Amino acid sequence: MSQLFKIYFLGILITLLVSCENHTEFIENNITGIIENYDPTSFDSIICMNFQLDSNYLMRTKYQRISKCDISKNGTFNAVLTEPLYTYPILERIDKQAVISDTTAVIGNLILEAYKNGKAVGYIIKCSEEYASYPLGSNNATNLYVNKDLTINGTIYIGLNWSTTYHLNLKKGWNEVVYTYKVTTLATTTNSLEITNTTTENLKWRFVKYN
């Protein structure tokens, strides 16, 4: 082997090693749980959907089917989450008053839809028992995607009667985020929303039927 070929080969090898070192692959996440109110006659599978909202963040306009999973007789499921197609710049969804460790990050949404014979009949959500009937005073968890490790902290005040407090430590990929709705009555009634990574025992997977 000539000296020139050895140098050429070594150059290619170094390039490949550096490329591998700098490239970070997306690591799949799993959602596993037992649906508390599962009834096999109501739905038979779950489809994890990433979605895009309209400019007012009210209506879903585009969908990406991330994965599908069946449900066991006792309501156990295991869904695999991959990298989402639809994301948003974080400053479009999180108020600038919050302290965000990296404002170039993007985030993605997820819904777990319940299907029966190929038709969407509802969704499953990890929530407290009273969530579906009256969210204030209850809590629920959702899955939020971020494209890099991230922290979000701070309290945002909206008018006189509403505040949102962030205390999040997010890792690249899908993260479970808990929303806790609180009502405080002193001289006046104020509502607050706390968004954290702290899960509580009252959070259970539950099926909510579409009207």
Side-chain angles (χ1 to χ4, degrees):
M1 184 182 294
S2 68
Q3 187 68 21
L4 180 61
F5 182 81
K6 288 181 180 179
I7 294 172
Y8 174 75
F9 179 78
L10 182 61
I12 292 177
L13 181 61
I14 292 173
T15 301
L16 289 172
L17 289 173
V18 170
S19 298
C20 291
E21 182 177 355
N22 292 336
H23 182 64
T24 54
E25 291 286 351
F26 177 81
I27 300 174
E28 291 183 346
N29 301 96
N30 285 53
I31 301 179
T32 303
I34 300 176
I35 303 165
E36 289 287 300
N37 59 341
Y38 179 59
D39 178 358
T41 64
S42 298
F43 62 104
D44 51 35
S45 61
I46 297 169
I47 294 182
C48 300
M49 305 284 284
N50 166 235
F51 57 89
Q52 186 178 63
L53 296 172
D54 63 14
S55 57
N56 296 317
Y57 300 108
L58 296 175
M59 301 293 294
R60 299 178 193 136
T61 57
K62 295 180 180 180
Y63 292 87
Q64 174 201 10
R65 175 173 164 169
I66 289 183
S67 64
K68 178 182 178 181
C69 67
D70 296 325
I71 308 162
S72 67
K73 293 180 179 179
N74 70 340
T76 300
F77 69 96
N78 180 29
V80 178
L81 301 184
T82 56
E83 194 166 10
L85 177 63
Y86 301 114
T87 58
Y88 305 87
I90 194 165
L91 291 178
E92 287 187 11
R93 306 304 303 273
I94 306 294
D95 196 289
K96 295 179 181 178
Q97 297 178 61
V99 180
I100 304 170
S101 62
D102 191 335
T103 56
T104 66
V106 298
I107 59 178
N109 302 313
L110 187 77
I111 184 172
L112 278 65
E113 280 200 304
Y115 279 72
K116 178 69 174 180
N117 297 327
K119 179 182 178 182
V121 294
Y123 62 95
I124 65 167
I125 183 170
K126 199 174 184 181
C127 63
S128 56
E129 188 172 2
E130 67 275 14
Y131 168 79
S133 57
Y134 190 63
L136 289 177
S138 66
N139 56 355
N140 71 280
T142 63
N143 290 276
L144 182 72
Y145 168 83
V146 291
N147 67 330
K148 56 185 68 179
D149 292 354
L150 195 66
T151 59
I152 307 172
N153 293 285
T155 299
I156 313 301
Y157 295 95
I158 305 171
L160 298 175
N161 300 318
W162 185 269
S163 66
T164 300
T165 298
Y166 295 93
H167 187 65
L168 292 170
N169 184 5
L170 306 173
K171 299 297 182 182
K172 179 182 178 181
W174 291 98
N175 297 260
E176 184 175 83
V177 175
V178 178
Y179 296 76
T180 303
Y181 304 86
K182 299 180 179 179
V183 182
T184 304
T185 302
L186 296 173
T188 60
T189 299
T190 59
N191 301 317
S192 65
L193 172 61
E194 186 178 30
I195 306 175
T196 70
N197 297 110
T198 305
T199 189
T200 54
E201 291 184 0
N202 68 328
L203 290 173
K204 307 292 183 183
W205 286 103
R206 294 180 168 90
F207 168 65
V208 179
K209 186 178 180 180
Y210 285 147
N211 293 328

